[in-house]
Amino acid sequence: MANVSHRTVDYYTKLGLITPEKRSDSNYRYYSDETLSRLKRIESMKQEKYTLEEIKSSLDLIHKVSRDDHVTDKLASLQLQMQQLEREVKELSPLIDQLKPNQAKKMYKLLTPQSAACIEALLLLLGKGPLL
């Protein structure tokens, strides 16, 4: 169902990335729907070039925040998107430095409204938390 091999499921279980819900009398492992969602998140993060250690720590941290699957899915997705943006900004920085002043000005004009909206949305989200 998760489009991963049995060997991958065994390996992820051994690493603690997923855990079986229960075992049968003949020692077969049974996994929950939550595990299926977690497997899909793991595979998605692997495609984004995260190491299994990074994936495990990220998922463990999100799972500590909420056990609600919908919330953890959204948090994991948001975290992935922010990390991807961070990588892309790091890749773009040297290229931006090479732009002519007029080109850089046009690029900043294009990106500034979207960037400001994204920052504002994140600040609103963070402002709802107990830290602020």
Side-chain angles (χ1 to χ4, degrees), residues 10-18 52 56:
D10 289 343
Y11 186 60
Y12 290 172
T13 302
K14 182 180 175 183
L15 292 177
L17 284 165
I18 58 173
L52 290 176
K56 183 173 181 359

Side-chain angles (χ1 to χ4, degrees), residues 112-125:
T112 300
Q114 294 169 329
S115 301
C118 183
I119 291 167
E120 186 175 340
L122 286 170
L123 287 172
L124 284 171
L125 177 67

Side-chain angles (χ1 to χ4, degrees), residues 8 16-17 38 50 55 59 74 83 85 95-96 107 116 131:
T8 299
L17 284 165
R38 190 171 173 104
Y50 290 97
I55 293 170
L59 292 176
K74 291 292 184 184
Q83 289 171 340
L85 281 172
L95 299 173
I96 292 170
M107 187 211 51
L131 298 176

Side-chain angles (χ1 to χ4, degrees), residues 24-121:
S24 70
D25 293 336
S26 53
N27 211 25
Y28 284 100
R29 293 173 296 206
Y30 292 100
Y31 295 92
S32 66
D33 290 335
E34 180 185 336
T35 304
L36 181 60
S37 296
R38 190 171 173 104
L39 273 170
K40 288 178 182 178
R41 271 183 259 146
I42 292 167
E43 291 304 305
S44 173
M45 291 175 84
K46 277 179 51 183
Q47 287 181 341
E48 295 292 329
K49 307 292 187 226
Y50 290 97
T51 67
L52 290 176
E53 279 182 24
E54 290 171 325
I55 293 170
K56 183 173 181 359
S57 63
S58 175
L59 292 176
D60 287 347
L61 182 63
I62 290 170
H63 193 69
K64 285 179 185 176
V65 172
S66 173
R67 298 202 184 280
D68 181 324
D69 288 344
H70 183 69
V71 172
T72 56
D73 282 344
K74 291 292 184 184
L75 286 172
S77 176
L78 182 60
Q79 184 181 32
L80 270 175
Q81 290 172 2
M82 288 190 302
Q83 289 171 340
Q84 181 62 32
L85 281 172
E86 185 179 351
R87 282 188 191 143
E88 289 176 13
V89 166
K90 286 179 183 177
E91 289 174 11
L92 276 175
S93 288
L95 299 173
I96 292 170
D97 292 341
Q98 295 175 5
L99 292 176
K100 294 177 183 174
N102 278 345
Q103 291 173 318
K105 188 175 181 178
K106 287 179 185 177
M107 187 211 51
Y108 286 123
K109 260 187 175 176
L110 179 68
L111 292 177
T112 300
Q114 294 169 329
S115 301
C118 183
I119 291 167
E120 186 175 340

